Amino acid sequence: MNKVAIVTDSTAYLPPEIIQEYQIQVIPLSVIWEGESYQDGVDITTSQFYSRLETSPTLPSTSQPPAGEFKDCFTELLESGKDVAAILISADISGTVNSALQAQAELDPSRIEVIDSQTAAMAAGLHVIAAARKAAASGSLDEVAHIARKAQQHTDVVFVVDTLEFLHKGGRIGGAKRFLGSMLNIKPILEMREGKIEAVDQVRTQTRALERMIDLIREKSAGETPLRMAIIHSNVPESAQLLKEQVQATFSPEDLYISELSPAIGTHVGPGTLAIACMHGM
């Protein structure tokens, strides 16, 4: 039996089979839309979310889980005899880590590790999977937490958005702000760097954007193996599948997932986003 239970949040949008295999606990963020609150991935699915986003005159907002939800989850796991490793969305773009830290402080901090992944979506999911595998191999809390923190230095994620409108209105635009006001027919290429969204490049076509993302991942991984990768998208499954085939042919990664962006992330990047996440050398 695992000594350590793994907790994450809904923005990681892990494949259901991974959640089931490793018994990962998922705490949902909330999407607030026209006065109604929806639990990310529970009360509102990705298809429902993006369908409504296309026609809605208003944009939703998001909210981190309350500390009480983490406290309830942690308490149940501790009482079952397990220590807890919570690996969560970057604290620079969400208050989720802070909620978990509040819960940790009210319980037994020596048996709970709260880890800021410094990234988001399935990039954080790769950290979660690595930690879950260590836990399944009877790793201690310190060993599991070490793997999760090591993954931060070995993970890169690059992405292209269809428009900067959603990042700008949601206040998450970060270093991409310098692209605002550029000509309309550009594709801005962004990355998560030390927990924040930063600008990398801009190109004119979707095809060139995908090529440039692959080039960037090749540069960043610097020949380190194995590669564990994910293609991430917001409501463009056909484009994601094409990108997956290109990534498979280019890198032959050990693992390669396709993951949608949950509504809580989709709120801030909008439909049409494509990303490549890569964990290298782990």
Side-chain angles (χ1 to χ4, degrees), residues 4 6 84-85 87 113-115 131 134 140-152:
V4 181
I6 306 297
V84 178
I87 303 157
E113 287 276 1
V114 175
I115 299 158
K134 186 65 176 179
S140 67
L141 181 59
D142 284 347
E143 290 170 330
V144 170
H146 173 74
I147 287 291
R149 292 193 170 98
K150 181 181 177 182
Q152 296 169 9

Side-chain angles (χ1 to χ4, degrees), residues 35-50:
E36 296 289 332
S37 181
Y38 305 89
Q39 286 193 310
D40 185 29
V42 178
D43 301 323
I44 187 166
T45 66
T46 54
S47 59
Q48 291 169 336
F49 172 78
Y50 289 112

Side-chain angles (χ1 to χ4, degrees), residues 128-256:
V128 173
I129 295 170
R133 286 172 171 159
K134 186 65 176 179
S138 299
S140 67
L141 181 59
D142 284 347
E143 290 170 330
V144 170
H146 173 74
I147 287 291
R149 292 193 170 98
K150 181 181 177 182
Q152 296 169 9
Q153 311 306 316
H154 290 260
T155 302
D156 295 287
V157 57
V158 294
F159 61 105
V160 58
V161 295
D162 197 47
T163 172
L164 290 171
E165 171 192 3
F166 295 91
L167 281 170
H168 181 47
K169 289 183 176 178
R172 265 72 171 185
I173 196 162
K177 188 174 183 178
R178 69 182 177 90
F179 287 156
L180 287 174
S182 299
M183 61 185 69
L184 295 176
N185 61 340
I186 67 154
K187 296 292 182 183
I189 298 174
L190 314 170
E191 69 177 351
M192 289 290 295
R193 189 187 311 151
E194 295 180 350
K196 299 178 181 179
I197 296 170
E198 301 291 352
V200 180
D201 202 352
Q202 52 184 326
V203 297
R204 291 186 178 275
T205 68
Q206 182 80 349
T207 299
R208 180 60 189 134
L210 302 188
E211 292 172 350
R212 183 70 179 115
M213 288 199 296
I214 288 173
D215 288 343
L216 285 165
I217 290 296
R218 184 186 291 111
E219 293 168 14
K220 291 172 179 295
S221 59
E224 283 192 299
T225 56
L227 299 180
R228 305 185 189 277
M229 304 179 73
I231 307 304
I232 308 163
H233 73 96
S234 55
N235 207 35
V236 281
E238 297 86 0
S239 298
Q241 182 59 39
L242 175 62
L243 183 55
K244 180 183 179 183
E245 292 167 5
Q246 293 173 323
V247 165
Q248 180 64 51
T250 303
F251 297 103
S252 299
E254 189 81 10
D255 298 320
L256 180 57

Side-chain angles (χ1 to χ4, degrees), residues 72-83:
D72 290 346
C73 177
F74 292 169
T75 298
E76 183 175 345
L77 294 170
L78 293 174
E79 289 178 351
S80 74
K82 296 180 184 292
D83 293 337

Side-chain angles (χ1 to χ4, degrees), residues 106-118:
E106 294 181 27
L107 297 169
D108 183 351
S110 69
R111 295 182 59 199
I112 303 168
E113 287 276 1
V114 175
I115 299 158
D116 176 357
S117 70
Q118 298 186 2

